[in-house]
Amino acid sequence: RIPRISVTVEQGQGNGKLDPKQHKATKSTIPCYDPGNMAYMGTMPADNADAVREKIRKAQKASEVWREVPFRKRRLLLKVLQQYIIEHQAEICREASRDSGKPMVDAAFGEVMVTCEKISWLIREGQQWLKPEKRSPGVMMFYKSARVEYHPLGVVGAIVPWNYPFHNVFNPLTAALFAGNALVIKVSEHASWSSQYYGRIISAALAAVGAPPDLVQIVHGYAEAGNALVTGGVNKVIFVGSTGVGKAVMQAAATNLTPVVLELGGKDAFIVCEDADLSQAVPTAMRGAFQSCGQNCAGAERFLVHSAVYDRFVSSAAEVAKQLRQGHALGQKPVDCGAMCMPGLAEKVAELVDEAVHKGAQVLTGGKLISGEAGGQFYAPTVLVGVTPSMRIWKEEVFGPVMVIVKCGSDDEAVRLANDCPFGLGSAVFSRSAARARSIGARLEAGMTSINDFATTYMCQSLPFGGVKESGFDRFAGIEGLRGMCIAKAVCEDRFPWLMRTDIPPLLQYPVGDSAFPFVCGLISMFYGLSARENLRGLCTVISCFVSGKKVTR
Ligand SMILES: NC(=O)c1ccc[n+]([C@@H]2O[C@H](COP(=O)([O-])OP(=O)(O)OC[C@H]3O[C@@H](n4cnc5c(N)ncnc54)[C@H](O)[C@@H]3O)[C@@H](O)[C@H]2O)c1
């Protein structure tokens, strides 16, 4: 039986508009507002370094209890969460929408669907991947049994951005807890408000299965709080955010040699070959570019389209982009594109587009800041062509609703252009020839490639997620990410203890005998020589050393 939990949902409406003079961000306060209509939702306290260290301490205590809990109970916790999420999708999406500005459909995809997939994968397969795994003992240790055991790390620290207020919390949470750890998670100062509701879901689920209430600690705050989490004694840090802050996190983590996973920015290439099915590729491209208004780490930002289909692709994409309805995600009218969550991001996108236009790029649609009916933070869905490597937008992450389409003449050129980028997170290749798409994909410098689709690697939750180059290193999600929440301990023991064990022969016991060195050389030749003759020679040396070995008498 799966216990049901009940949780109150934040309302946060009716507080008027955000007033920058009255609702100031200070070291100890975080004003929260809906970026789609600038409605003020309330002010949250920001944790200082001492508060963060206290949260880590509490989590450490809780982890000592939780690490002993059997997988059955860890699965029950996930089932409680899954049941609640399925039954409260609308509430979860509404809170994420209000905090980040994304439309409800985008929240259903990016916040809820992927979280449910992750939880169901963990329930189904998690234990299997954390069971001790047998390994071959090798040549000389033939009489041993060797295995890797996956033990909880203790306390996992996660620092996450604002773009997926729900999923960014539940993604590290579910894997960390399933692996037997406690979690201290710092949410973004730009999406703190919804974490109150999400925190209550977590607390209620922990209580429902009798888990320690301090097992999950949510940190609110700014860089100071993030830094305190990195340096405060957690056993591993999972950082998800920008490349610049990722570098600072790695530096801070070096103080205590705390291991870090860095999931950083992206600027995914989306390659369309001339034999691609455009009726499939174009709608997928539009989602890749405009879902959550482009505020996706693995968002398609560079569309590299073969010259034979370039004109058709560009005109179809521009036509669809022109029709996108933009506005307050929770307003009266239906919308396809919402707001930009982070203050100043819409202006940064405008700066990149304007610079490109100034240098000769052409805007086919969009290309401007708009305030929207409700006065939110918006940048219009934009299609940009004529972009060259001399423009900042060629290499810098946009993280907004801008589709840059570039013509290329061959597969080689598409690969060269795709790899001419400091980032390497996701990628996509479209061709009717799967073999051709696979061969292009294999040459892309990226952590993930979807063939004839976009970002589907993340819906296959058995797969690792992560990048190369400035997109970071190591992986979360998948088997690799789950095992990354553990200490992979190597264990070796006698396979037939009643028959054979390691007894140091007398000539190797201290002080070693005169024939110790030839004896060890003989062993090496006997086990590792590449010919039977070499092995036999080694065996003879071993026997003769053994028989005639002069052991210094103690
Ligand atoms: N690769 C991924 O999985 C992934 C997923 C989502 C977003 N992102 C990236 O995140 C970026 C957008 O998010 P953002 O603007 O919130 O990123 P950000 O790097 O500014 O902030 C991320 C988090 O780090 C915290 N932080 C800031 N300074 C810190 C410091 N000195 N020490 C410790 N923590 C600190 C922030 O408070 C926030 O919680 C984009 O670059 C995007 O590509 C990556």
Side-chain angles (χ1 to χ4, degrees):
R1 206 178 65 82
I2 305 168
R4 276 212 149 62
I5 55 172
S6 131
V7 181
T8 45
V9 185
E10 235 74 51
Q11 291 312 315
Q13 294 287 57
N15 290 330
K17 291 263 176 198
L18 176 82
D19 175 353
K21 280 195 198 127
Q22 198 190 336
H23 311 123
K24 272 208 183 98
T26 68
K27 255 183 91 140
S28 55
T29 57
I30 307 171
C32 304
Y33 63 95
D34 177 339
N37 63 358
M38 307 307 279
Y40 173 64
M41 301 188 297
T43 291
M44 304 215 12
D47 290 316
N48 61 20
D50 285 342
V52 175
R53 285 191 278 270
E54 176 59 15
K55 287 183 176 182
I56 296 172
R57 197 192 56 75
K58 283 183 177 169
Q60 253 151 4
K61 276 198 96 172
S63 76
E64 283 156 26
V65 177
W66 184 249
R67 61 180 299 130
E68 305 299 338
V69 158
F71 281 110
R72 188 177 27 82
K73 190 156 168 179
R74 300 183 202 175
R75 260 194 304 273
L76 182 63
L77 174 67
L78 293 184
K79 286 180 186 170
V80 171
L81 288 171
Q82 185 85 316
Q83 178 169 267
Y84 183 86
I85 294 167
I86 300 285
E87 291 173 356
H88 298 83
Q89 296 180 48
E91 288 91 326
I92 290 167
C93 289
R94 210 173 302 118
E95 302 296 274
S97 270
R98 198 168 277 155
D99 223 1
S100 65
K102 65 169 65 79
M104 291 289 277
V105 177
D106 293 1
F109 268 131
E111 308 276 8
V112 175
M113 192 188 278
V114 287
T115 306
C116 289
E117 179 59 42
K118 180 168 190 117
I119 294 178
S120 63
W121 177 75
L122 282 169
I123 291 171
R124 267 194 335 273
E125 291 188 24
Q127 183 175 359
Q128 162 192 341
W129 298 111
L130 294 183
K131 273 200 311 220
E133 188 180 83
K134 271 192 146 228
R135 297 284 170 92
S136 86
V139 181
M140 197 174 290
M141 293 294 115
F142 65 92
Y143 60 99
K144 296 282 182 185
S145 104
R147 65 178 177 277
V148 182
E149 292 176 356
Y150 295 96
H151 295 279
L153 286 165
V155 180
V156 173
I159 300 177
V160 296
W162 40 263
N163 59 341
Y164 286 97
F166 178 74
H167 181 68
N168 285 346
V169 171
F170 280 73
N171 176 34
L173 176 128
T174 47
L177 266 53
F178 190 79
N181 301 293
L183 178 77
V184 183
I185 182 160
K186 186 205 162 304
V187 296
S188 168
E189 57 273 42
H190 306 300
S192 294
W193 180 77
S194 54
S195 70
Q196 301 173 90
Y197 168 48
Y198 301 148
R200 283 196 296 273
I201 299 175
I202 297 162
S203 298
L206 293 177
V209 301
D214 287 335
L215 195 60
V216 177
Q217 301 286 327
I218 299 183
V219 171
H220 300 104
Y222 301 96
E224 180 197 354
N227 182 267
L229 181 49
V230 177
T231 53
V234 295
N235 302 95
K236 184 165 192 170
V237 170
I238 297 174
F239 175 78
V240 186
S242 61
T243 301
V245 176
K247 288 179 184 175
V249 163
M250 192 168 164
Q251 230 162 19
T255 324
N256 298 331
L257 283 186
T258 305
V260 284
V261 177
L262 296 183
E263 297 294 352
L264 310 176
K267 194 168 178 64
D268 293 7
F270 187 112
I271 296 176
V272 182
C273 299
E274 79 286 354
D275 63 348
D277 179 352
L278 291 195
S279 69
Q280 182 212 6
V282 174
T284 311
M286 305 314 284
R287 272 244 148 243
F290 297 117
Q291 172 147 326
S292 293
C293 232
Q295 297 163 101
N296 301 299
C297 50
E301 291 205 2
R302 298 171 298 141
F303 295 81
L304 307 168
V305 182
H306 196 282
S307 49
V309 289
Y310 176 82
D311 289 344
R312 269 172 57 213
F313 184 91
V314 168
S315 65
S316 312
E319 202 180 301
V320 178
K322 274 181 196 142
Q323 292 168 22
L324 295 179
R325 299 157 301 175
Q326 190 171 32
H328 180 215
L330 302 172
Q332 299 300 316
K333 296 183 191 152
V335 296
D336 303 300
C337 269
M340 308 301 289
C341 171
M342 196 172 79
L345 181 54
E347 287 76 11
K348 191 202 138 201
V349 175
E351 197 182 297
L352 288 174
V353 172
D354 293 351
E355 192 252 9
V357 171
H358 182 69
K359 288 188 170 163
Q362 301 101 53
V363 167
L364 301 186
T365 183
K368 55 180 186 291
L369 285 162
I370 48 174
S371 63
E373 266 172 52
Q377 302 170 167
F378 295 100
Y379 190 81
T382 299
V383 175
L384 193 66
V385 296
V387 169
T388 64
S390 69
M391 301 169 185
R392 279 175 57 199
I393 205 164
W394 181 269
K395 292 213 164 123
E396 288 182 33
E397 184 184 35
V398 180
F399 220 61
V402 182
M403 204 174 181
V404 169
I405 312 179
V406 176
K407 193 190 284 189
C408 43
S410 65
D411 294 357
D412 285 348
E413 190 183 7
V415 170
R416 185 178 60 73
L417 294 174
N419 291 341
D420 180 27
C421 179
F423 298 102
L425 194 55
S427 57
V429 186
F430 279 74
S431 164
R432 278 200 173 87
S433 158
R436 177 180 175 187
R438 276 199 293 271
S439 122
I440 294 173
R443 293 158 66 199
L444 297 178
E445 293 164 2
M448 299 161 287
T449 298
S450 294
I451 307 284
N452 287 319
D453 214 324
F454 179 73
T456 39
T457 49
Y458 198 48
M459 273 306 286
C460 303
Q461 275 289 326
S462 61
L463 291 177
F465 183 96
V468 298
K469 304 201 277 190
E470 297 239 324
S471 292
F473 56 79
D474 209 341
R475 299 293 181 257
F476 73 45
I479 298 159
E480 290 77 2
L482 182 61
R483 287 180 166 179
M485 296 283 186
C486 301
I487 296 166
K489 181 181 276 186
V491 180
C492 186
E493 62 180 289
D494 291 324
R495 192 146 48 145
F496 317 107
W498 66 94
L499 189 66
M500 205 173 173
R501 61 177 193 175
T502 306
D503 280 315
I504 307 281
L507 81 167
L508 288 183
Q509 288 177 17
Y510 290 126
V512 296
D514 293 348
S515 44
F517 181 66
F519 176 79
V520 175
C521 293
L523 272 182
I524 293 170
S525 301
M526 183 175 120
F527 281 106
Y528 305 112
L530 294 180
S531 65
R533 205 160 150 237
E534 188 69 47
N535 304 141
L536 194 60
R537 207 161 62 82
L539 176 65
C540 294
T541 310
V542 166
I543 293 171
S544 80
C545 289
F546 212 78
V547 171
S548 69
K550 293 190 197 99
K551 170 86 174 70
V552 178
T553 338
R554 285 164 208 258

